[in-house]
Amino acid sequence: VHLSADGVCVISHDGNLGRTTGQDIDISETNWSDISKLKMANGDRIPRLEDVIELARSTGCGLYVEIKAERAGLAAWQILRDENFRYAALGSFNVKWIEELQQSGCDYPLSVLVPNRADPFEYIGGLSVEIIHLCWERASETPQDLLTDKLMSQLRQNEFQIVLWHEERPGVLKDLLDKTVMGIC
């Protein structure tokens, strides 16, 4: 989730729409009325969070919302509440944005995405969240080897749910399936 210049929660991995639309447009500097006219390479329009919530409802899916911009977390939380959509979690690499949600009383599960090889406990700096999301897919050819018994035990002892990186390599996936985790992206 990014925020448009006029405060709309826009769904896009990147803050710039060049990769998906072919146009060099920064979401944060553009009003939703202009973004809504753009089409992605597949012909679809760029969705708002409300559009994705509607799709999730119609398909019986939950949402794992990654906060990609300052203030986007609070805006996404408000929309989730307004839409009365409960099957969701909010996460970010930016620990301060997750802490802001927590301090504001966010009652959705919160996740911190942990970059390659970062120590999860140091990275979160004592913040109490429900989910630790290890984003270690590029740490090595065998990132599953970083999930030592000691680390996994420490995470479980601290009552964290564990989510693992986006993975498509069959050999790595085979090893990950033996791990006790909440999810593999």
Side-chain angles (χ1 to χ4, degrees):
V1 174
H2 291 269
L3 279 183
S4 66
D6 54 345
V8 173
C9 283
V10 178
I11 304 299
S12 175
H13 184 274
D14 303 329
N16 183 289
L17 297 172
R19 192 166 55 103
T20 53
T21 68
Q23 297 185 43
D24 183 20
I25 294 173
D26 288 325
I27 294 171
S28 64
E29 297 173 2
T30 309
N31 286 330
W32 172 249
S33 61
D34 294 324
I35 294 169
S36 69
K37 295 173 188 167
L38 299 173
K39 291 196 176 181
M40 295 184 280
N42 66 4
D44 289 343
R45 296 195 185 280
I46 306 289
R48 299 168 306 142
L49 180 56
E50 292 90 338
D51 302 322
V52 176
I53 291 170
E54 182 179 323
L55 178 61
R57 268 202 182 102
S58 71
T59 58
C61 291
L63 296 176
Y64 188 32
V65 181
E66 183 182 353
I67 312 307
K68 300 282 231 165
E70 190 172 1
R71 296 181 332 275
L74 293 172
W77 172 39
Q78 182 64 50
I79 291 169
L80 289 166
R81 286 187 306 176
D82 290 349
E83 295 284 331
N84 195 29
F85 190 83
R86 292 300 314 162
Y87 191 41
L90 297 157
S92 181
F93 280 103
N94 190 311
V95 178
K96 289 182 182 183
W97 296 344
I98 297 303
E99 185 175 29
E100 179 182 48
L101 280 165
Q102 189 178 66
Q103 290 176 349
S104 296
C106 180
D107 56 347
Y108 286 83
L110 297 174
S111 171
V112 171
L113 286 71
V114 180
N116 265 348
R117 297 186 178 265
D119 178 295
F121 298 101
E122 288 179 21
Y123 192 77
I124 66 171
L127 184 65
S128 176
V129 294
E130 290 81 6
I131 303 165
I132 293 292
H133 182 150
L134 302 173
C135 298
W136 294 355
E137 64 271 18
R138 292 187 184 98
S140 74
E141 290 298 312
T142 56
Q144 69 273 26
D145 295 345
L146 298 172
L147 304 175
T148 63
D149 290 341
K150 179 181 177 184
L151 173 63
M152 298 302 281
S153 177
Q154 287 176 318
L155 290 168
R156 281 192 295 280
Q157 285 173 1
N158 283 278
E159 299 183 1
F160 292 119
Q161 292 291 327
I162 305 164
V163 172
L164 301 178
W165 56 85
H166 171 101
E167 187 56 66
E168 295 179 5
R169 295 169 284 189
V172 177
L173 275 171
K174 181 180 178 288
D175 289 347
L176 293 180
L177 291 175
D178 293 333
K179 302 292 182 186
T180 304
V181 297
M182 179 183 190
I184 302 168
C185 295

